Structures are given as C-alpha cells and as structure tokens.
C-alpha cells in the first residue's frame, strides 16, 4: 500500500478544527506582572452602535433588560454583535472616550443624560439629535420601557418611532 499525500482544502480543515483555538503569527500579551486588558463593553460593535445604560446590579445589563433590549434590536434588524453596551455605573466614561474607542455612529442613552457622558447639550427623551457625525437618542431606563402598563406601552411606542427615524426603518 503506497502512501499518497492528500491535501485538504482550507474550508475542510477549518471545519474539522472549528472548536479549537489556533493562533497564527505573533501574539500580543501584556508585559509580565500586567493584567490582561478587560472587555469594558458587551457586544462586538459591528455596526458602531453604542448603547449606554446605568444598571447597578449587573456587570453590563440585567437579564430581563438584556432580553428586552435584544428584542428591540431584533425589531431594528440588529443583534448584540452590532452594538457595544456600556454600563455607566461600572464604567464611567465620557463621550470623547466612547468616540475614540468605539467610533459610534449611533449613541443610545437609557437612563443616562447627555451631561453624564460629558456632552455639551441636553436632549429631550426620544428626540433624535445629530452631533459630531453621530446620532443621539436619550430614553428612560429599559425596565421602565419594558413594563406592561399603559405608560410602558406608550414609552415603547415613542421609542419605536424614534428608532425607526434613527435607523431608517
């Protein structure tokens, strides 16, 4: 029996090892004694949409709020991979830092004022505002909007109308 070299196409090899971590080339690791950089936002920021919340009880966002936010994003044809969620309670950041690090084209503030991210203006709830090549939307906290009361339904409809305008839906 002769040994023949079989060369598999790249996609077959990738499929065989899809659950394995393979590092090619040089890796960047922190200097000895330095901690590894931590992820300070949730999501992949794929479409440069930054969502800033204030949630004292969670690293990023509580389960119920995250589920509600995911449904909002789904209605806008978006998902968590498209956004970066920053919890201002755990990660107090200014707009200038968000702009530098995440390059947001859209910034949604839930239970966060423009002053809390050091912006030079105020925006009423649900008014889409353009500034610095970014669209801003300020809204009440996600738990307030997520409720089933008549008030919550009214808040949801206001949010939906603003999101339709912001994302051209």
């Amino acid at each position: 029996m002769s040994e023949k070299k079989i060369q598999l196409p790249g996609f077959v090899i990738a499929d065989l090892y899809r659950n394995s971590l393979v590092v090619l080339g040089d890796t960047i690791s922190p200097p000895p004694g330095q901690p590894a950089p931590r992820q300070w936002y949730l999501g992949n920021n794929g479409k440069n949409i930054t969502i800033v919340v204030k949630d004292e009880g969670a690293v990023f966002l509580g389960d119920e709020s995250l589920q509600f936010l995911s449904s909002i994003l789904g209605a806008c044809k978006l998902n968590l991979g498209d956004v970066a969620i920053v919890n201002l309670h755990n990660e107090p950041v200014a707009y200038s830092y968000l702009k530098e690090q995440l390059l947001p084209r859209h910034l949604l503030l839930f239970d966060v004022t423009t002053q809390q991210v050091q912006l030079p203006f105020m925006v009423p709830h649900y008014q889409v505002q353009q500034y610095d090549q970014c669209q801003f939307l300020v809204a009440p906290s996600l738990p307030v909007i997520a409720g089933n009361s008549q008030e919550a339904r009214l808040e949801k409809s206001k949010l939906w109308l603003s999101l339709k305008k912001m994302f051209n839906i």
Side-chain angles (χ1 to χ4, degrees):
M1 188 158 77
S2 69
E3 287 186 32
K4 291 184 179 180
K5 288 191 175 189
I6 300 173
Q7 187 166 1
L8 297 174
F11 71 91
V12 172
I13 300 210
D15 192 47
L16 288 171
Y17 295 100
R18 71 174 165 259
N19 295 326
S20 300
L21 176 64
V22 178
V23 178
L24 300 174
D26 295 334
T27 61
I28 299 172
S29 56
Q34 294 290 325
R38 65 181 182 80
Q39 184 73 12
W40 58 279
Y41 60 89
L42 177 66
N44 293 333
N45 197 33
K47 293 192 178 174
N48 299 89
I49 300 167
T50 301
I51 300 171
V52 181
V53 299
K54 203 169 28 176
D55 190 335
E56 294 180 23
V59 174
F60 296 109
L61 199 55
D63 290 342
E64 289 178 12
S65 293
L66 183 60
Q67 185 176 17
F68 177 66
L69 181 60
S70 294
S71 68
I72 291 170
L73 293 172
C76 296
K77 308 281 191 262
L78 300 167
N79 60 52
L80 289 176
D82 298 324
V83 303
I85 301 171
V86 178
N87 186 350
L88 195 65
H89 179 75
N90 297 329
E91 196 66 45
V93 294
Y95 169 71
S96 58
Y97 184 76
L98 293 172
K99 185 73 172 177
E100 175 186 306
Q101 297 296 313
L102 300 174
L103 307 169
R105 292 188 335 235
H106 305 281
L107 183 67
L108 287 80
L109 304 172
F110 288 99
D111 194 29
V112 175
T113 66
T114 52
Q115 289 78 26
Q116 290 173 308
V117 291
Q118 299 174 12
L119 282 164
F121 55 86
M122 292 175 57
V123 179
H125 283 180
Y126 306 114
Q127 177 181 310
V128 177
Q129 181 68 45
Q130 185 80 28
Y131 171 77
D132 194 24
Q133 294 146 10
C134 184
Q135 286 187 316
F136 294 84
L137 177 62
V138 180
S141 70
L142 290 167
V144 167
I145 302 170
N148 288 322
S149 68
Q150 184 64 31
E151 277 183 12
R153 284 193 285 269
L154 180 61
E155 297 295 322
K156 279 183 196 119
S157 66
K158 289 178 186 177
L159 177 62
W160 177 240
L161 290 173
S162 298
L163 290 171
K164 284 173 43 175
K165 180 178 180 181
M166 180 178 258
F167 297 117
N168 297 317
I169 300 172

